Amino acid sequence: MPSSRPEARGRDDASGTRRSTRAARLALHVFLAATCLVWITPLLYAFYTALRPYADTQRLGYVSVGGHYGFGNFTAAWTQAQLPQYFLNSLIITVPALVLTLWLASMVAFVVSRYSFRVNVALLMLFTAGNLLPQQALITPLYKLYQLVPLPTWLASSGKLDDSFIGLILVHVAFQTGFCAFVMSNYMRTLPAELGEAALMDGASSWRYYWQIIMPLCRPVLAALATLEFTWIYNDFFWATVLMQTGANRPITAALNNLSGEFFVNNNLISAASLIVAVPTLVVFFALQRQFVAGLTLGSAKG
């Protein structure tokens, strides 16, 4: 009989541990479900508002049930805001800016992480320092500079860096390269140094070492940064309105601003247009979801 008491006590401790684990897991799931609900409620409300005509919300109120429901606001937003043209403008700006940012940042990260020299840390700090300054503080000198830099007409119809696609692309590359270089350099430092030593001993050049060995291993972090950078550049409104005066050449975020009148704002129409505008970012996220999650968890299993 005395020998069975420790075993019973051990079983009680194990069952108590399991109960506490279940309670902690249940609390975690409740918290995650509540967080998801908080984040998705505005999106669901915007979709509900977009399904209702303005007359019903004016008569019954925005927080109400009843009236007519349909997709008329989505059709009107697509035609009235000229969304296809603005989607093309955003594509012209976002894709080159994204490719250039990741390419330049990967080369900077490769140099500062795989080679040791005196100024490699200072070089990385130089690229990262650009993210510490608020963009609004640079608006006046940058705007003046853009007006003074001439460009050939085949590159910019305005004949200068201001009011041109190339101007918006360059400003996004300048502000986003530092952050991407910082993230990619930290990831490249986790790659084994023996890879580079073996490649150099086999006669590989620095370019081949970068392009054929390091870059394929950086696919997760590239996907994660591509998702973030696409969202940030695509959703930019500040530089799009400051540096692009021609309304027909502005990106998609400016199209939403065109739906707001001086004395009247149709929030139902704006909700429908906002949901349409958000579709490309969702497509990019779901296309790169697996790599994006892998990029967010990089280094979590490393000591």
Side-chain angles (χ1 to χ4, degrees):
M1 291 296 294
S3 61
S4 63
R5 292 179 180 177
E7 296 179 359
R9 189 179 300 111
R11 287 194 296 268
D12 292 340
D13 294 340
S15 61
T17 302
R18 285 195 295 269
R19 283 195 297 268
S20 61
T21 302
R22 292 196 196 99
R25 187 174 300 175
L26 178 61
L28 176 62
H29 282 81
V30 170
F31 172 75
L32 293 176
T35 303
C36 291
L37 183 62
V38 169
W39 278 95
I40 202 173
T41 296
L43 181 63
L44 295 177
Y45 180 71
F47 182 71
Y48 177 72
T49 303
L51 292 177
R52 308 179 69 189
Y54 177 78
D56 287 349
T57 55
Q58 184 183 29
R59 179 171 54 89
L60 301 174
Y62 282 95
V63 185
S64 61
V65 178
H68 302 84
Y69 299 92
F71 295 93
N73 286 322
F74 291 91
T75 304
W78 183 264
T79 55
Q80 292 183 20
Q82 300 178 348
L83 293 185
Q85 175 186 350
Y86 288 101
F87 270 126
L88 179 60
N89 294 341
S90 292
L91 186 67
I92 295 174
I93 296 170
T94 305
V95 173
L98 177 62
V99 173
L100 284 174
T101 299
L102 294 181
W103 183 43
L104 295 176
S106 65
M107 290 193 291
V108 174
F110 173 75
V111 172
V112 299
S113 63
R114 309 307 291 183
Y115 294 96
S116 298
F117 52 95
R118 292 183 177 180
V119 296
N120 59 347
V121 177
L123 181 63
L124 181 61
M125 293 178 60
L126 177 64
F127 277 89
T128 311
N131 296 86
L132 303 178
L133 293 174
Q135 298 182 7
Q136 293 82 356
L138 303 176
I139 179 174
T140 300
L142 188 63
Y143 181 74
K144 294 294 185 181
L145 178 65
Y146 268 44
Q147 288 185 326
L148 296 176
V149 176
L151 290 178
T153 54
W154 62 269
L155 189 59
S157 58
S158 61
K160 53 186 178 181
L161 201 57
D162 183 40
D163 197 20
S164 65
F165 289 121
I166 189 67
L168 280 179
I169 293 172
L170 291 178
V171 76
H172 287 308
V173 171
F175 278 103
Q176 302 300 332
T177 300
F179 169 75
C180 294
F182 177 77
V183 174
M184 294 188 69
S185 64
N186 289 333
Y187 173 73
M188 288 183 184
R189 287 192 177 95
T190 64
L191 300 177
E194 290 78 7
L195 292 174
E197 296 174 358
L200 295 176
M201 289 185 64
D202 290 339
S205 62
S206 298
W207 172 259
R208 189 173 183 180
Y209 174 34
Y210 157 78
W211 186 251
Q212 295 186 354
I213 298 177
I214 297 299
M215 290 304 291
L217 297 175
C218 293
R219 191 175 302 170
V221 70
L222 284 173
L225 288 174
T227 306
L228 294 175
E229 292 298 327
F230 180 89
T231 303
W232 293 339
I233 297 174
Y234 177 83
N235 289 330
D236 172 68
F237 179 78
F238 177 73
W239 292 116
T241 54
V242 171
L243 301 178
M244 184 69 75
Q245 286 76 43
T246 303
N249 293 335
R250 286 180 174 176
I252 191 68
T253 49
L256 298 178
N257 190 45
N258 294 338
L259 291 176
S260 301
E262 184 177 358
F263 303 104
F264 171 74
V265 177
N266 188 343
N267 292 315
N268 305 67
L269 188 64
I270 294 178
S271 297
S274 300
L275 293 174
I276 296 175
V277 169
V279 169
T281 57
L282 296 177
V283 172
V284 171
F285 173 76
F286 286 114
L288 302 175
Q289 181 181 13
R290 181 175 300 179
Q291 298 290 342
F292 177 72
V293 174
L296 292 180
T297 57
L298 288 173
S300 59
K302 299 182 184 296

